[in-house]
């Protein structure tokens, strides 16, 4: 009897990635996806800053937008991008101009010297 097992090579279609099977695989964004994530995070930080200036909870802002506080939490962390159609409603609720979300030249941003995203 032969002690070493003979391995058969499966086609790539039939292969299963063990990380995907276990749920430990994580997609690493690159290039353009990184830039998009950075913009989403910058917008989220500005939303959080303005919400706190107004003394609002995530729930109160969520009610104003018609979404849950969990969605606001995802916007603020940058995990979810704010849809373009939601930006005007968000700007109105926070009492800021629409361009405010993209304007980095604010008094709270240190060392940015008025650069735009």
């Amino acid at each position: 009897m032969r002690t070493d097992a003979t391995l058969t090579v499966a086609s790539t279609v039939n292969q299963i990635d063990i990380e995907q099977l276990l749920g430990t695989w994580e997609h690493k964004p690159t290039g353009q996806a990184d830039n998009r994530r950075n913009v989403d995070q910058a917008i989220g930080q500005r939303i959080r800053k303005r919400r706190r200036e107004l003394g609002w909870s995530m729930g109160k802002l969520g009610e104003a937008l018609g979404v849950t506080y969990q969605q606001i939490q995802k916007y603020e962390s940058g995990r979810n991008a704010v849809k373009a159609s939601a930006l005007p409603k968000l700007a109105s609720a926070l009492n800021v101009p629409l361009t405010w979300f993209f304007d980095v030249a604010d008094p709270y941003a240190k060392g940015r010297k008025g650069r735009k995203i």
Side-chain angles (χ1 to χ4, degrees):
M1 179 152 68
R2 205 168 163 186
T3 58
D4 60 337
T6 305
L7 297 176
T8 56
V9 178
S11 71
T12 57
V13 175
N14 295 332
Q15 289 181 344
I16 298 173
D17 187 338
I18 192 70
E19 287 185 332
Q20 288 178 331
L21 183 66
L22 296 174
T24 58
W25 182 78
E26 182 179 330
H27 174 71
K28 306 259 191 291
T30 58
Q32 190 175 17
D34 283 338
N35 292 336
R36 186 177 65 237
R37 180 165 294 182
N38 291 339
V39 171
D40 294 342
Q41 288 173 344
I43 291 172
Q45 289 170 357
R46 293 185 63 79
I47 292 169
R48 177 180 291 130
K49 181 180 70 113
R50 182 63 180 159
R51 177 183 59 79
R52 288 180 175 171
E53 285 175 355
L54 295 172
W56 287 7
S57 66
M58 287 186 213
K60 183 172 181 176
L61 181 56
E63 286 177 22
L65 298 176
V67 298
T68 64
Y69 80 90
Q70 290 99 333
Q71 185 61 45
I72 299 300
Q73 190 175 38
K74 289 177 183 180
Y75 287 158
E76 289 184 357
S77 69
R79 284 185 293 173
N80 282 14
V82 179
K83 293 182 180 180
S85 60
L87 277 174
K89 196 172 186 180
L90 188 57
S92 177
L94 295 174
N95 196 25
V96 294
L98 190 57
T99 57
W100 178 84
F101 295 106
F102 306 100
D103 184 19
V104 183
D106 78 356
Y108 302 105
K110 296 180 181 174
R112 299 213 177 180
K113 307 217 182 205
R115 289 183 288 176
K116 302 261 181 190
I117 295 177

